[in-house]
Amino acid sequence: MYVTGTFAVNSSGIMNTGQNPADLVVMISSTGDVQLNSSVNFYGVIYAPNARVVNNSGVEFYGSIMADEVTFNSSVQFHYDEALSDLAFLDGVEIVFNSTLSSTLVR
């Protein structure tokens, strides 16, 4: 999926009901915020190198995120899928977490 504007998943949404993160790649070209809000289950890859990805209350994320900035707020569960490391555009990217669970990406 290619997104040129804003991207948000809200309230009890499930992205990718097949639950295989490799089946959904969301490529976002904008610089705005990408929002996952309130009881969302997301299975996939978010590739948003110029955007900020914000995961809010009750999000369960299975897959991978590449963004300019990633923030986890209030009871977010993040499960990195190691099988995604074979995706070509993720080569050379390292995810570094700090003690507040905000993350930065090191290229």
Side-chain angles (χ1 to χ4, degrees):
M1 176 187 311
Y2 187 75
V3 178
T4 58
T6 59
F7 181 78
V9 182
N10 297 307
S11 292
S12 302
I14 297 175
M15 289 296 294
N16 187 3
T17 57
Q19 299 182 350
N20 180 1
D23 290 344
L24 177 63
V25 177
V26 181
M27 301 180 85
I28 300 165
S29 64
S30 67
T31 59
D33 285 355
V34 175
Q35 297 277 332
L36 302 174
N37 300 310
S38 188
S39 302
V40 169
N41 292 332
F42 186 96
Y43 299 84
V45 175
I46 294 179
Y47 180 77
N50 301 310
R52 181 172 77 130
V53 176
V54 180
N55 297 277
N56 292 309
S57 183
V59 172
E60 289 191 36
F61 190 100
Y62 302 85
S64 178
I65 299 172
M66 172 156 177
D68 184 50
E69 180 181 334
V70 180
T71 302
F72 298 104
N73 298 315
S74 183
S75 70
V76 171
Q77 295 182 33
F78 182 85
H79 311 275
Y80 175 70
D81 186 339
E82 292 181 9
L84 296 172
S85 65
D86 293 334
L87 294 175
F89 63 85
L90 296 177
D91 287 347
V93 175
E94 177 185 356
I95 300 174
V96 179
F97 292 95
N98 67 28
S99 61
T100 62
L101 290 182
S102 289
S103 67
T104 55
L105 295 169
V106 179
R107 298 176 211 197

